[in-house]
Amino acid sequence: MTKPTPSIIAIDGPAASGKSTLGHRLADELGYLFFDTGVMYRAVTWLALQRGVDVNDEATVTRLAETAQIDVAPSSKDDGRACDVLADGVDITWETRRHEVDANVSVVSAYAGVRQALSAQQRRIGLRGKVVMVGRDIGTVVLPEADLKVYLDASAEERAKRRYDEVRARGGNPDYQEILDKVIQRDHIDSTRAVAPLRPAEDAVLLDSDKLDADEVFERVKNLCK
Ligand code: CDP
């Protein structure tokens, strides 16, 4: 008997490990919803910065996560975005990719109340099935019942190089060393936080994208879905 195609697919891993590229392609291939949970943490971070809230003020940031209406929708523009990110109805897709958001998002996402508010929404969407959900804690906390769990890793240097290329491709003028330092710092905060730290689920398939290019990673995971 052949196994059914997994309905709930969780992809976790550190910053710029290729999770979104893989998740997007896989969701297209299977006709599933692609959900990048990182954009929700980014949206709360952007809202806090824009409203002048100190990101170290846990109570206020948590209230923001609990009250803001954050929506993630299929992309409405052909400008390189993977999806639309809306906060209280306003399109903040590119704002969530800003340097200030990168620098502060791990502080915001370490707050238990923020995680509780956002992961409850993620779980509700994930349980509908036919979904590829990407993040740090999908296989461990948000959807531990996922049918397939992938943990995608790569060295910090390789991931920083990818982020550097991405920023350049968007017309920016990044500094490689600065990006590398930030990647290492973000990994450290994400993997040492008390709530839902970044780590592979015990039943996750581990893939190292230093050794595999994007096509090879995709083929491997596609085969796991058969
Ligand atoms: O795109 P990149 O891998 O750099 O980051 P992201 O997936 O957009 O996530 C941004 C940040 O949100 C991460 O560094 C984590 O601090 C946080 N995050 C999280 O804590 N849990 C998730 N499920 C997704 C993201």
Side-chain angles (χ1 to χ4, degrees):
M1 221 176 70
T2 54
K3 279 205 302 185
T5 306
S7 177
I8 301 178
I9 302 176
I11 304 176
D12 290 301
S17 54
K19 306 178 299 286
S20 299
T21 307
L22 167 66
H24 207 263
R25 236 172 123 178
L26 195 62
D28 271 359
E29 171 82 17
L30 299 171
Y32 284 12
L33 173 75
F34 170 65
F35 195 111
D36 178 359
T37 58
V39 300
M40 297 184 82
Y41 293 95
R42 287 175 176 273
V44 172
T45 307
W46 169 247
L47 285 178
L49 294 172
Q50 196 207 22
R51 295 180 188 180
V53 172
D54 178 357
V55 294
N56 297 302
D57 177 351
E58 180 168 356
T60 307
V61 174
T62 301
R63 233 178 354 262
L64 197 56
E66 288 166 349
T67 53
Q69 174 74 41
I70 297 166
D71 291 307
V72 183
S75 58
S76 63
K77 289 195 184 126
D78 191 14
D79 61 357
R81 62 180 65 195
C83 58
D84 286 1
V85 186
L86 306 171
D88 296 329
V90 179
D91 185 336
I92 57 160
T93 308
W94 288 117
E95 281 78 3
T96 64
R97 293 282 144 201
R98 288 166 77 130
H99 182 68
E100 311 92 273
V101 174
D102 274 354
N104 290 287
V105 64
S106 286
V107 172
V108 168
S109 69
Y111 295 145
V114 170
R115 301 206 69 82
Q116 206 174 6
L118 301 188
S119 54
Q121 300 177 45
Q122 294 159 10
R123 181 163 170 76
R124 211 169 36 245
I125 294 167
L127 285 178
R128 294 182 198 147
K130 294 204 166 200
V131 67
V132 179
M133 200 172 280
V134 170
R136 301 288 188 288
D137 59 341
I138 310 305
T140 50
V141 174
V142 178
L143 294 165
E145 61 274 86
D147 305 304
L148 173 64
K149 300 178 188 178
V150 174
Y151 188 88
L152 192 57
D153 210 346
S155 65
E157 287 74 15
E158 176 62 30
R159 291 183 286 118
K161 187 182 164 296
R162 288 185 200 151
R163 202 35 55 96
Y164 173 88
D165 291 343
E166 247 173 63
V167 177
R168 281 194 67 111
R170 289 207 300 267
N173 185 22
D175 180 80
Y176 172 79
Q177 191 56 46
E178 198 182 315
I179 292 184
L180 177 62
D181 292 346
K182 285 275 179 309
V183 160
I184 292 172
Q185 189 190 16
R186 198 137 64 90
D187 286 353
H188 177 73
I189 303 177
D190 289 349
S191 53
T192 56
R193 68 186 173 212
V195 190
L198 169 68
R199 62 174 174 80
E202 272 172 23
D203 49 351
V205 177
L206 307 186
L207 293 176
D208 181 348
S209 74
D210 268 1
K211 302 194 183 87
L212 303 166
D213 67 24
D215 287 342
E216 289 167 326
V217 169
F218 174 65
E219 288 304 323
R220 292 259 181 128
V221 178
K222 204 170 83 173
N223 284 331
L224 292 171
C225 294
K226 283 181 183 159

Coordinates of all heavy atoms in Angstrom, one line a residue, residues 5-7 9 23-34 129-132 218 222 225:
T5 N 0.0 11.2 0.6 CA 0.8 12.4 0.6 C 0.6 13.1 2.0 O -0.6 13.3 2.4 CB 0.4 13.4 -0.5 OG1 0.4 12.7 -1.7 CG2 1.3 14.6 -0.6
P6 N 1.7 13.5 2.7 CA 1.5 14.2 3.9 C 0.6 15.5 3.7 O 0.8 16.2 2.7 CB 2.9 14.6 4.4 CG 3.8 14.3 3.2 CD 3.1 13.4 2.3
S7 N -0.3 15.8 4.7 CA -1.2 16.9 4.5 C -0.6 18.1 5.3 O -0.7 19.2 4.8 CB -2.5 16.5 5.1 OG -3.4 17.6 5.0
I9 N 2.7 19.8 6.5 CA 4.2 19.7 6.4 C 4.8 20.9 7.1 O 4.5 22.0 6.9 CB 4.6 19.8 4.9 CG1 3.9 18.6 4.1 CG2 6.1 19.7 4.7 CD1 4.2 18.6 2.6
G23 N 9.7 25.8 0.9 CA 8.3 25.7 1.3 C 7.4 26.2 0.2 O 6.4 25.6 -0.1
H24 N 7.8 27.3 -0.4 CA 7.0 27.9 -1.5 C 6.9 27.0 -2.6 O 5.8 26.7 -3.2 CB 7.7 29.2 -1.9 CG 6.8 30.2 -2.4 ND1 6.6 30.4 -3.8 CD2 5.9 31.1 -1.8 CE1 5.7 31.3 -4.0 NE2 5.3 31.8 -2.8
R25 N 8.0 26.4 -3.0 CA 8.0 25.5 -4.2 C 7.2 24.2 -3.9 O 6.5 23.8 -4.8 CB 9.5 25.1 -4.4 CG 9.9 25.4 -5.8 CD 11.4 25.2 -6.0 NE 11.6 24.3 -7.0 CZ 12.8 23.9 -7.4 NH1 13.9 24.4 -6.8 NH2 13.0 23.1 -8.4
L26 N 7.4 23.7 -2.7 CA 6.7 22.5 -2.3 C 5.2 22.7 -2.3 O 4.4 21.9 -2.8 CB 7.2 22.1 -0.9 CG 6.8 20.7 -0.5 CD1 7.5 19.7 -1.4 CD2 7.3 20.5 0.9
A27 N 4.8 23.9 -1.7 CA 3.3 24.2 -1.7 C 2.8 24.3 -3.1 O 1.7 23.8 -3.4 CB 3.1 25.5 -0.9
D28 N 3.5 25.0 -4.0 CA 3.1 25.1 -5.4 C 2.9 23.7 -6.0 O 1.9 23.4 -6.7 CB 4.1 25.8 -6.2 CG 3.9 27.3 -6.2 OD1 2.9 27.7 -5.5 OD2 4.7 28.1 -6.7
E29 N 3.9 22.9 -5.8 CA 3.9 21.5 -6.4 C 2.7 20.7 -5.9 O 2.1 20.0 -6.7 CB 5.2 20.8 -6.0 CG 5.4 19.4 -6.3 CD 5.8 19.1 -7.7 OE1 6.3 20.1 -8.4 OE2 5.6 18.0 -8.2
L30 N 2.4 20.8 -4.6 CA 1.3 20.0 -4.1 C 0.0 20.7 -4.1 O -1.1 20.1 -3.8 CB 1.7 19.7 -2.6 CG 2.9 18.9 -2.3 CD1 3.2 18.8 -0.8 CD2 2.8 17.5 -2.9
G31 N -0.1 22.0 -4.5 CA -1.3 22.7 -4.5 C -1.8 23.0 -3.1 O -3.0 23.1 -2.8
Y32 N -0.8 23.2 -2.1 CA -1.1 23.5 -0.7 C -0.9 25.0 -0.4 O -0.3 25.7 -1.2 CB -0.1 22.7 0.2 CG -0.4 21.3 0.3 CD1 -1.2 20.6 -0.5 CD2 0.3 20.5 1.3 CE1 -1.4 19.2 -0.3 CE2 0.1 19.2 1.5 CZ -0.7 18.5 0.6 OH -0.9 17.2 0.8
L33 N -1.4 25.4 0.7 CA -1.2 26.7 1.2 C 0.2 26.8 1.7 O 0.7 26.0 2.5 CB -2.2 27.0 2.4 CG -2.0 28.3 3.1 CD1 -2.5 29.5 2.3 CD2 -2.7 28.3 4.4
F34 N 0.9 27.9 1.4 CA 2.3 28.2 1.9 C 2.1 29.2 3.0 O 1.5 30.3 2.8 CB 3.2 28.7 0.8 CG 4.5 29.2 1.4 CD1 5.4 28.4 2.0 CD2 4.8 30.6 1.3 CE1 6.6 28.8 2.5 CE2 6.0 31.0 1.8 CZ 6.9 30.2 2.4
G129 N -5.1 21.6 7.3 CA -4.4 20.6 6.4 C -4.0 21.2 5.1 O -4.3 22.4 4.8
K130 N -3.4 20.4 4.2 CA -2.9 20.9 2.9 C -2.1 22.2 3.1 O -2.5 23.2 2.4 CB -4.1 21.0 1.9 CG -4.7 19.7 1.6 CD -5.5 19.7 0.3 CE -5.8 18.3 -0.1 NZ -6.1 18.1 -1.5
V131 N -1.2 22.1 3.9 CA -0.4 23.3 4.3 C 1.1 23.0 4.4 O 1.4 21.9 4.9 CB -1.0 23.9 5.6 CG1 -0.8 23.0 6.8 CG2 -0.4 25.3 5.8
V132 N 1.9 23.9 3.9 CA 3.3 23.8 4.2 C 3.6 25.0 5.1 O 3.5 26.2 4.7 CB 4.2 24.0 2.9 CG1 5.6 23.9 3.2 CG2 3.8 22.9 1.9
F218 N 14.9 20.5 -2.8 CA 13.5 20.4 -3.2 C 13.2 18.9 -3.6 O 12.2 18.3 -3.2 CB 13.2 21.3 -4.4 CG 11.8 21.1 -5.0 CD1 10.7 21.4 -4.2 CD2 11.7 20.7 -6.3 CE1 9.4 21.2 -4.8 CE2 10.4 20.5 -6.8 CZ 9.3 20.8 -6.1
K222 N 10.5 16.5 -2.0 CA 9.4 16.0 -2.9 C 9.3 14.5 -2.8 O 8.3 13.9 -2.7 CB 9.7 16.4 -4.3 CG 8.4 16.5 -5.1 CD 8.7 17.2 -6.4 CE 9.2 16.2 -7.4 NZ 9.3 16.7 -8.8
C225 N 7.6 13.1 0.1 CA 6.1 13.3 0.1 C 5.4 12.2 -0.7 O 4.2 12.1 -0.8 CB 5.7 14.6 -0.5 SG 6.3 16.0 0.4

